[in-house]
Amino acid sequence: MGKQYIGIDLGTSSIKMGLFDQDLSLQHGYQQTYQYMNSANGAREIDPNIWFDIVLTGLHQLVKHARSSDSIAAIGITGQMHTTVFLDQSGNIVRPAILWNDTRTKALVVGLKKQLNIIRESENAKIVSTGSPLVNLIWLKREEPSHFKALQHLLMPVDYIVYRLTGHYSTDYCDASTSSLFDFKQSRWATKICQEFGIDERILPTIHTSSDVIGELKFSLANQLGLPSVVKVVAGTGDNAATALANKTDQEQQPLISLGTSGVVVVPNRRHQLKQIGKNIMFKVDAENESVLTQGVVQTGAVLNDWWLRSIINTEDADAEQRKIPRRLLGKNTVLFFPHLNGEKTLYADPNLRGAFIGIGLETTKDNMYLAVLEGLAFGCRQLYEQMRNCAATNFIRIVGGGAKSTLWLTIFANVFGLPVHKRTVQREAIDGAVMLALIGDGDNVTAQAEDDVVILPDRSLKQAYDVQYQKYLKMATLLISDALRTGDEEVEKMSSLS
């Protein structure tokens, strides 16, 4: 009787779980949405107990569908990155977790970047932003000193679930290296940063490879679930790294674009190259398998599609609306769209940046504007890719996520990038990567079912047309990021004060 594995994906607004066989075939799934606190001052918080309650409910459901009580061998976890969990000496919650999309700390970021550069921590200065664990720690120290004093353990969401399942504090290299608290030269916590900002390094968890077995399921939990306590729990990793693993990004050494809530561009390299642009993620699957994933993000990714359809034209039928767009418009659209509706962290480091349509006239139709939205995200992703690309030639790009369901969008990407676009017939997501880590941690081989790729090739004339459009997009971006044209929170406040 074959072993089975459980995968957990802790997203920003839902938790997805699954029971998988050794060939990564899903036998039973469970998903539950949840809400977090969203305040006008930019605060985004949640009680971490909400996560674990959902996970526990999901485990009960999955165990019911297992072949037997002893078929489940290991659990792998992935999820949102940067979100910061604060625990006291006993492992109890000090205060609600601060989510990755919390923006109340934006006033601290500019000064923090300068301070990090002064102490020659340029890599961390580059990536530190609102929602980063380092920023959240400094904010806690300044604004809630009693909570900072009570803090004895700092974890990220994946780490917290691992802790609740095993009783052990841990993290992996992926989450550690994106925390702005990591020493990239020594591959350990940055003692210099901790000393500079008065942070006790002992609150930071031990760093592991993503497939390291952190412990076994706690006896009390195993007993409650009707499982043997020998079920292993691995360290897990962040969602983008898990998605890259599931889609063999390290093996293929080709860029990966994830069209989910945000548009994520991931460029892998095995040479330990730390790129000047983008967030360099240290991803160690195991002791022998290490790579750097350089990541850039368009904050508003495939969510742009939902925004246009639901909020602007009041429909949910994306297929119908995309069929209405004349194919002769591709590469010839007179309307351009700047896709940064919710700030930008990689190229411009501006949480106040907002989007725009340019080129609207009396002749503009709904089709022009919808196509511009789809094209705008492709242009934004190309701009990220060109800043982060490897020296070696790129053969193709792989696209995953909800946006990959749209053949029109994939066609636009293929011609905007001038490269073949590959999409798996069976989508592999972050939860599949989590299960792969569980398999590796259990000493098993990953033998996924054979899959074919859908390949969309660029058209030479259309590619040339989009090259012209892309240059127009870059000129538009240069104008829109000038101080005179920004329309973020600060400008809104100024205009409000004049009324």
Side-chain angles (χ1 to χ4, degrees):
M1 186 177 294
K3 296 179 181 180
Q4 293 184 293
Y5 298 87
I6 288 176
I8 302 172
D9 182 4
L10 201 167
T12 305
S13 57
S14 71
I15 294 177
K16 183 187 297 184
M17 302 174 64
L19 176 68
F20 293 78
D21 283 344
Q22 289 169 285
D23 63 358
L24 297 185
S25 59
L26 176 66
Q27 299 305 305
H28 190 76
Y30 175 83
Q31 186 167 2
Q32 178 65 52
T33 60
Y34 65 87
Q35 293 183 331
Y36 56 83
M37 188 199 76
N38 189 341
S39 298
N41 68 345
R44 310 286 186 273
E45 298 184 347
I46 190 169
D47 178 354
N49 284 308
I50 293 174
W51 296 331
F52 188 69
D53 289 344
I54 294 173
V55 167
L56 191 56
T57 300
L59 288 174
H60 277 286
Q61 293 297 316
L62 297 180
V63 168
K64 290 178 183 178
H65 292 84
R67 290 197 189 94
S68 66
S69 62
D70 58 356
S71 67
I72 298 174
I75 299 173
I77 307 164
T78 186
Q80 56 182 288
M81 299 163 63
H82 314 304
T83 292
T84 315
V85 180
F86 310 92
L87 305 179
D88 64 15
Q89 184 63 49
S90 301
N92 298 315
I93 295 166
V94 170
R95 69 169 325 280
I98 300 178
L99 268 65
W100 64 271
N101 54 354
D102 187 293
T103 60
R104 81 188 104 169
T105 57
K106 60 186 176 184
L108 297 174
V109 173
V110 174
L112 185 53
K113 285 181 177 288
K114 291 179 180 178
Q115 204 166 348
L116 286 168
N117 278 316
I118 289 172
I119 63 173
R120 298 183 178 181
E121 284 287 348
S122 58
E123 184 62 34
N124 285 299
K126 181 186 72 175
I127 66 173
V128 71
S129 62
T130 55
S132 295
L134 174 59
V135 181
N136 293 338
L137 271 174
I138 293 173
W139 179 88
L140 187 73
K141 185 178 181 181
R142 294 185 181 185
E143 302 296 328
E144 300 177 359
S146 62
H147 287 154
F148 183 80
K149 185 177 180 180
L151 175 63
Q152 295 296 313
H153 300 283
L154 180 139
L155 300 174
M156 272 67 87
V158 170
D159 313 333
Y160 177 72
I161 299 302
V162 171
Y163 161 67
R164 291 296 301 270
L165 294 176
T166 67
H168 300 300
Y169 302 105
S170 65
T171 194
D172 84 315
Y173 283 91
C174 168
D175 269 334
S177 64
T178 57
S179 67
S180 299
L181 287 158
F182 189 72
D183 185 331
F184 285 85
K185 293 180 180 179
Q186 301 296 324
S187 289
R188 48 161 291 169
W189 294 117
T191 300
K192 184 165 56 174
I193 292 177
C194 291
Q195 291 175 342
E196 177 72 16
F197 296 104
I199 297 168
D200 187 345
E201 192 174 335
R202 291 173 296 182
I203 71 173
L204 303 177
T206 304
I207 306 173
H208 294 264
T209 72
S210 304
S211 66
D212 277 355
V213 175
I214 302 305
E216 296 176 340
L217 200 61
K218 288 194 293 188
F219 179 80
S220 57
L221 276 176
N223 188 51
Q224 182 180 348
L225 293 166
L227 292 173
S229 59
V230 293
V231 175
K232 300 170 185 173
V233 180
V234 300
T237 194
D239 50 5
N240 292 324
T243 300
L245 176 65
N247 286 279
K248 303 180 181 179
T249 302
D250 182 56
Q251 295 177 37
E252 295 177 342
Q253 286 294 292
Q254 301 298 315
L256 175 74
I257 297 177
S258 176
L259 298 181
T261 302
S262 48
V264 181
V265 181
V266 177
V267 179
N269 76 82
R270 297 194 185 105
R271 299 181 180 179
H272 212 274
Q273 295 174 332
L274 300 180
K275 307 288 182 62
Q276 292 299 309
I277 302 294
K279 182 173 293 185
N280 294 302
I281 300 173
M282 310 300 296
F283 186 36
K284 294 186 179 183
V285 175
D286 52 37
E288 287 76 41
N289 189 347
E290 175 182 354
S291 62
V292 175
L293 304 174
T294 303
Q295 172 187 300
V297 179
V298 178
Q299 297 282 92
T300 43
V303 71
L304 289 170
N305 193 48
D306 290 338
W307 164 76
W308 174 258
L309 294 171
R310 297 179 182 179
S311 300
I312 306 302
I313 64 173
N314 194 29
T315 183
E316 295 186 5
D317 195 342
D319 290 339
E321 292 301 317
Q322 291 183 14
R323 284 195 298 268
K324 294 176 185 177
I325 298 174
R327 293 307 181 260
R328 57 180 170 77
L329 276 182
L330 270 65
K332 299 177 182 178
N333 198 0
T334 55
V335 180
L336 293 172
F337 177 70
F338 193 58
H340 303 291
L341 270 60
N342 191 33
E344 202 283 337
K345 293 185 178 182
T346 308
L347 296 175
Y348 309 119
D350 184 357
N352 293 323
L353 200 60
R354 293 297 181 265
F357 285 102
I358 299 293
I360 297 174
L362 292 175
E363 72 284 357
T364 299
T365 67
K366 181 175 66 173
D367 295 337
N368 289 111
M369 298 184 74
Y370 187 20
L371 179 59
V373 170
L374 301 176
E375 292 171 332
L377 181 58
F379 290 143
C381 288
R382 175 176 168 178
Q383 188 181 13
L384 283 173
Y385 162 73
E386 290 187 342
Q387 297 294 318
M388 305 186 306
R389 64 187 303 170
N390 292 326
C391 295
T394 299
N395 298 323
F396 63 87
I397 56 174
R398 183 171 296 284
I399 297 185
V400 300
K405 297 175 183 177
S406 167
T407 301
L408 173 60
W409 220 345
L410 296 182
T411 300
I412 292 169
F413 266 86
N415 289 284
V416 166
F417 277 74
L419 290 166
V421 164
H422 286 225
K423 181 186 103 168
R424 297 196 186 281
T425 52
V426 178
Q427 287 244 41
R428 291 296 178 195
E429 302 175 346
I431 193 169
D432 297 281
V435 175
M436 291 170 72
L437 292 174
L439 276 156
I440 296 167
D442 190 43
D444 212 337
N445 293 320
V446 178
T447 54
Q449 296 173 332
E451 302 165 355
D452 294 324
D453 276 355
V454 173
V455 180
I456 296 179
L457 299 174
D459 175 84
R460 182 177 179 182
S461 60
L462 190 51
K463 184 261 184 192
Q464 291 174 344
Y466 269 121
D467 281 343
V468 174
Q469 292 288 86
Y470 178 61
Q471 294 305 315
K472 294 179 182 178
Y473 171 86
L474 293 178
K475 291 179 181 178
M476 173 188 70
T478 300
L479 290 172
L480 290 175
I481 63 172
S482 66
D483 289 338
L485 291 177
R486 289 184 183 176
T487 56
D489 295 344
E490 295 174 3
E491 283 66 27
V492 170
E493 290 173 6
K494 289 177 184 177
M495 288 187 284
S496 298
S497 66
L498 295 175
S499 59

